[in-house]
Structure formats: C-alpha cells, structure tokens
Amino acid sequence: MKLVTCGLPYANGKAHVGHLRTYVPADVYVRYLRMAGEEVVFVCGSDCHGTPIVVNAEQQGLSPKELVDIYHEHFIKIFDALNIKFDFYGRTDSDYHHHRTTEIVKRLIEKGYVYPKEIQLAYCPKCQRFLPDRYVEGICPYCGALARGDECDQGCGRHLEPGEIKEPRCKICGSKAEFRSQRHYFFKLTEFQDFLEDYLSKLKGTENALNYARNWVKNLRDWCITRNLEWGVRFPGEPNLVVYVWVDAPIGYISFTERACEEKGCDWRKIWIDGDAEIIHFIGLDIVYHHCIFWPAMLKGADYALPSAVVASGMVKVEGKTFSKSRGYVVWVEEDYLKSGLSPDYLRYYIVNYTSHQKDLNFSWEVFREKVNNEVIATLGNFLYRVLLFAWKNFGEVRMEGVDEEVLEKIRETEQKILSALEEWEFKAASDAFMELATYGNVYFQNAKPWELIKTDKEAARRAVASCLQLAKALIIFAYPVMPESMERMAKAIGLDLENVRLSDAYKVDEVMKLSKPEVPFAKVEDEVIEKLQKVMEKRFRGEGEKMEQKEEISIEDFQKLDIRIGRVLKAEKVKKSKKLIKLIIDIGDEQRQIVSGIAEDYTPEELEGKLVVVLANLKPAKFMGVESRGMILAAEKDGKAILLTPEKEVEPGTRVC
C-alpha cells in the first residue's frame, strides 16, 4: 500500500498556478499507480491555522473560521474543476484533527522531548498583546535586513525563532514594541541529529529536497512550538498558548488518513503506526525544511511511521518573471484560467509536460497555446480522431485479430517508459512517452493508408485499422492520468471503462472492438483567447486597474524633515556572501557616506561608479550583513528590477532635492 499526500494549501487566499505545481503531478502519480495495480490512499486538506489567517481575518472584519470557510470551499471547487481527486480532503480546524494533534504533542511531552523555557518576546504596550510571527516586524539578527517575526523574508531568508528579531514593531498599530519575558515550549530537535543524518541518507525523493535537507541537518536548534494566539490547537495545560502551525499542519496527513480509511475500509494504524505502507509527500520546494527536518523528528519522537519519500517541485515563474502576487506576476486558476473556458486537461498537461518536476516551471500563455495546439491537438488528438472516425464510418465494429506485433511491442515499451519515469518522479518523461507513441501512431496510420486499402482489400484494411485501434486504446489508457476528462470522452467511442482499467490492458487484444461515433477530443486554443489573457496579465504587471496603496498624508513640514540630496558614487563593491547587497561610498557634498543597497542583482559596481544618484541622507543608520549603512539611495521598481533615480542634468554632489 502507498499513502500519497500533498502539502496543505493555506486557507488564506485563492488558488493560483503555483499551487498546481504540487497537486496536479501528485494526482497524475496516484492515477498511474492505481492503473498499475497499486492500492493507494490519497489525502490532503486545508491548513487553517497560523498568524496570517488571524491577521487577514481581522483586516476583513471576519472571524478566522469565517475566513477559512471561504477558502476551504474555494479549494474544494478548484480541485474538483481540475479533476484532482483526493480520497479525503480535510481541514486542520476540525475536531478530529485537534484530537490527533493533542495526542501527538502529549506523547512528545511524556517522552521528554518538549520542555518549557522563559524567552524574551516582542510585546506591544499599545495593543496590550504579545506579538507572534507576522504581527511583528523588525531587523534580522543575522543579516540586518528588514524582516518579519518568523522569517527574514527581505534578506538572508533564515527561519527566525520567537524573540530573535531586533528593533521590533507592531504590524497592527505601528508602535515600537518592547521585549517581555514569557514561558514557551520547545521541541528538542537537537536530540535527533544522529537520527536525521541516518534517515536522510536513506530517504527517497527528488534530489532538490534531499540536498537541501542534508545541508540543513548539520546546524540544528531546538524549536519553539507554541504561539500567543486564540486561533489554533491549544497546547496541553496552557490556556493562552496554541501549538505552532508547523507542528499541527503536517499532523493533518495523519488525521486525514484516519478519515480516509474510515471511508475506504482500511486501517490507518497499519500506515502510520505499523509502517506497512510507503508514505510519499508531494510538496513545494519552499517547505522542504519542515518536511525533511521537523516532521520526521516529531514522528520519530512520538513513535509514528516515517515518510518514505519527499517529492519537491521546482518553483514557478510567470512569463519569465519570479512568481509574486504583490507584483502581479500570478495566474489565478479560477478567474484567469477556468473562466476563460479553457479545458482543465490543457492546464494539467502543461504543468506535467513543460519541464522536469524538479526544475522551475515558467507559465507563458504563448508557450501554453503552442503546446496545446501543436502537441495535444496536432499529435494526440489528430491520431485518435482520425482512427476512431474512420473505423466507425467504415466498420462499425472491428475484429481485432492480426494486430501488428510491432505495434504491441511499441505499446509495451511505452508502458515501461511510464513506469520507469514514475520511479524517478519524472512526470514529463511519462507524458513524453505517450506523446511519442501518438507520433508513431500517426506515421503508422499514414503509411498503412487504410482509406486506399478498403477499396481493394478490405481484410488488409481491417488489419491495419485493428492495429491503429489498439494504439488508440493504449493512448487513451496512458494519457488518462494526465488528461482524464478528454480521455473519458474518447473511451466511450470504444466502450472502454477507464475507472477499472489497468496499464497492461493497453496491449491486451480484444476479440472485437465495437465503435460508436467519436467526439472531437480537443478544441483549438484560439489566438483571440490568448491575446485577451495576455492583456489581462500585462495590465496586472503594470498595476493598472488596481488601486495604489494610499500612504498617510503628511504636511510640508514633515517633508522638509527629509534630507534628500544628489550624491555621486565614488566606489562600489558587492557585500560578501550576499547576492542582493552592494556597498557604496557616495559623495553627498559635505562628506563621503557609506550606504548599503539591495541592487546588486540589477547593477554592477562598474555601472555605479561615477553615477549621480538621489540619497536620503538623514535615515537612521542600520547594519546589513554586518556592514553599516548610513542613508538610502532612491529607486523605482519595474518588473521586479530596481531603476535608480538620477537628475536630468549634471549637478554638484550635495545639491538638495526640494
């Protein structure tokens, strides 16, 4: 038996193409496994806890549960529309999930893997509350960049434990926070270092996940597993604390399996306690640390079975740009794709076939159109429709005796290619395999010329058609996991029941194949549809139609407090161990000032030296990666790149901007 899970979508926003990078390949994998005769349980559910949900709910005037209800139903709708079929899709705010989480946390406490510790936490005197995670922002203690409470998202990207952030401010009211002592609970992650090193040496999965994890395991710290929130799973014996969301969310894999097994008639304990199943996690690359470090240590400590494989997808880009909802580099599944009337199967094929599962996927409407029209329609659709229509018109039913042995061997080879690809998590290779078979089928049909044979030798025409029908049957079976909706329509033309079919049925020859009139399998993606979608995306990139964020009005006196000057860059060099930071020595008239700026990916030191720039000179000093910065150079942003502000004409360094 195999248990396949997907990383839980966060019930705090709408589904986008980036989400599907995990869920579509997992669904394809499960469908292939079942067609290969494997018993599989497939689960997922909404991640319903955590600070961002509480913050978003407060901003919208909703309770956290009301907000979660909206997005939980949204994801159910999206998965149904895309034919992603889980055996059970749960939610982590359910009673059954709270029960399982509490049981596991209690087990870890009983075994001595959890301990209390007094720590200094950011506290807002104005709001009169401790500030967990994303309620607080400040300065990263490691690189000096602006950071949120749980992660240095603008700088080095490191996970931050509660209380680590410097110069904290409350994100709700903007007030300066102070540090106060409070008792929290820590998981003894450091005790699992030897276990994790051994476990990761044997763990299966994609190399991108395994390589990251093997590097991280060398530098473990104990992990704070409680937060100051009302919304979440209560920590045992502490009425004012909840379990950290990254403790309770993966436990959903267990609680959802329990419910799935109730419906399927299997025993969840054989999977999660006895270890009588392979447990395979499909996740995004951004949550590898949690799944390869925190999660197996928790399971080991609580005496649960361990994951067998972690399959991490590459990241997603949009039209070549780094995925970003805030900058508009996003494709929304419902409002952009589904409402345009495009087939769900086209999107499934694109996601699976664009590139290797471990590599970054670039979503481009132009490439999407080309792949659908030139591959799905011109190759697969063309063969299926030509063969099925010809056979229906000229025979009605076909005696299948005499199918070409070469054809049967090609089908067997394709099955083996698909099975081998699944073992390597290479879903593109699996889909390439049946597309290669479709190409072979088109050549075979064209060379056989049954439309000519039927005029002179109907028996020879029948044999040629029988061989082509066997190829059509195989293609419908092999393509079904990737394009289930379209293949179900085509299967009706040959009386094939795809719900109960096996991959090996692809080369089993029936005595007679009875045919009905086939439907056209695919509709062409028209230029006008793509042009409309491209315009929507371009508009979103430029921010048109979206209300700009309105800053608080200031007086002229407030503006006059800003010391903005023209400066000339005298020297520039990259900051060591940083991709983004560059250190500048700038002449601002009465002195030479050292400023650190995050523009190293957009400008080289050579481009900057001698350049006139605009400098905010009276900004409070800060340190970035240990390098002091006394000021800020001003820039605009276009397509995610910095564009420095420069004077129109040559002016002296130190000239005031007013």
Side-chain angles (χ1 to χ4, degrees), residues 85 100 125 180 235 322 394 555:
K85 305 294 185 184
R100 180 54 49 200
R180 292 189 182 182
F235 189 82
T322 301
N394 291 278
S555 65

Side-chain angles (χ1 to χ4, degrees), residues 308-561:
S308 311
V310 174
V311 183
S313 63
M315 305 304 281
V316 173
K317 295 183 177 181
V318 175
E319 299 292 356
K321 299 175 176 66
T322 301
F323 182 90
S324 171
K325 291 182 284 186
S326 61
R327 292 172 178 165
Y329 306 148
V330 60
V331 176
W332 300 109
V333 177
E334 184 173 33
E335 64 192 72
D336 292 338
Y337 190 88
L338 294 175
K339 287 187 177 179
S340 70
L342 292 167
S343 168
D345 284 352
Y346 295 167
L347 186 54
R348 288 174 64 101
Y349 177 78
Y350 186 95
I351 288 168
V352 168
N353 189 262
Y354 179 85
T355 189
S356 166
H357 189 66
Q358 298 187 60
K359 294 182 180 178
D360 289 353
L361 181 149
N362 178 44
F363 188 88
S364 161
W365 284 116
E366 189 65 38
V367 177
F368 172 84
R369 172 177 55 188
E370 290 174 2
K371 286 190 74 66
V372 171
N373 289 346
N374 297 339
E375 296 173 23
V376 175
I377 296 175
T379 302
L380 178 61
N382 178 62
F383 175 75
L384 290 176
Y385 191 64
R386 286 177 74 194
V387 168
L388 296 178
L389 186 64
F390 182 86
W392 171 72
K393 277 186 173 181
N394 291 278
F395 292 94
E397 65 177 44
V398 176
R399 184 165 47 86
M400 295 296 289
E401 180 187 355
V403 170
D404 193 332
E405 280 299 323
E406 179 189 282
V407 165
L408 294 175
E409 185 57 32
K410 281 287 185 183
I411 294 171
R412 291 188 189 96
E413 287 176 7
T414 302
E415 181 196 30
Q416 287 307 308
K417 286 180 181 178
I418 290 172
L419 293 173
S420 296
L422 296 181
E423 290 179 1
E424 299 296 324
W425 326 107
E426 287 294 353
F427 310 106
K428 173 177 171 51
S431 53
D432 282 345
F434 67 69
M435 277 297 179
E436 289 168 9
L437 186 65
T439 299
Y440 170 83
N442 277 307
V443 172
Y444 190 95
F445 186 73
Q446 196 65 30
N447 289 340
K449 295 183 173 59
W451 57 90
E452 292 182 2
L453 281 176
I454 202 166
K455 299 173 185 175
T456 58
D457 189 342
K458 192 165 184 177
E459 176 58 18
R462 180 201 63 77
R463 288 195 300 271
V465 168
S467 294
C468 290
L469 285 175
Q470 192 68 38
L471 283 168
K473 176 185 175 182
L475 284 167
I476 291 168
I477 291 171
F478 293 152
Y480 172 62
V482 178
M483 294 179 277
E485 189 174 283
S486 305
M487 293 305 103
E488 282 175 354
R489 288 200 308 272
M490 300 313 293
K492 291 177 183 177
I494 59 173
L496 182 63
D497 177 15
L498 287 174
E499 285 294 316
N500 299 300
V501 80
R502 292 285 181 264
L503 291 176
S504 57
D505 291 335
Y507 46 81
K508 290 180 180 175
V509 180
D510 300 322
E511 288 186 14
V512 174
M513 188 176 289
K514 295 183 178 180
L515 300 153
S516 56
K517 184 178 181 181
E519 297 181 36
V520 176
F522 305 110
K524 182 183 178 183
V525 176
E526 300 294 344
D527 293 351
E528 302 80 49
V529 173
I530 295 301
E531 287 167 9
K532 182 179 178 181
L533 289 165
Q534 285 175 323
K535 286 178 181 177
V536 169
M537 182 173 286
E538 289 166 5
K539 186 177 180 181
R540 188 178 292 144
F541 285 178
R542 295 193 300 267
E544 294 177 13
E546 298 178 7
K547 188 176 180 180
M548 294 291 288
E549 180 185 357
Q550 297 298 308
K551 299 290 186 181
E552 180 184 351
E553 289 184 350
I554 63 171
S555 65
I556 188 64
E557 290 80 12
D558 290 328
F559 177 75
Q560 288 172 342
K561 293 177 183 177

Side-chain angles (χ1 to χ4, degrees), residues 26 42-43 82 105 185 190 315 406 420 436 553 568 576:
F42 187 29
V43 300
L82 288 165
V105 171
Y185 290 82
T190 50
M315 305 304 281
E406 179 189 282
S420 296
E436 289 168 9
E553 289 184 350
R568 186 183 299 279
K576 292 180 180 179

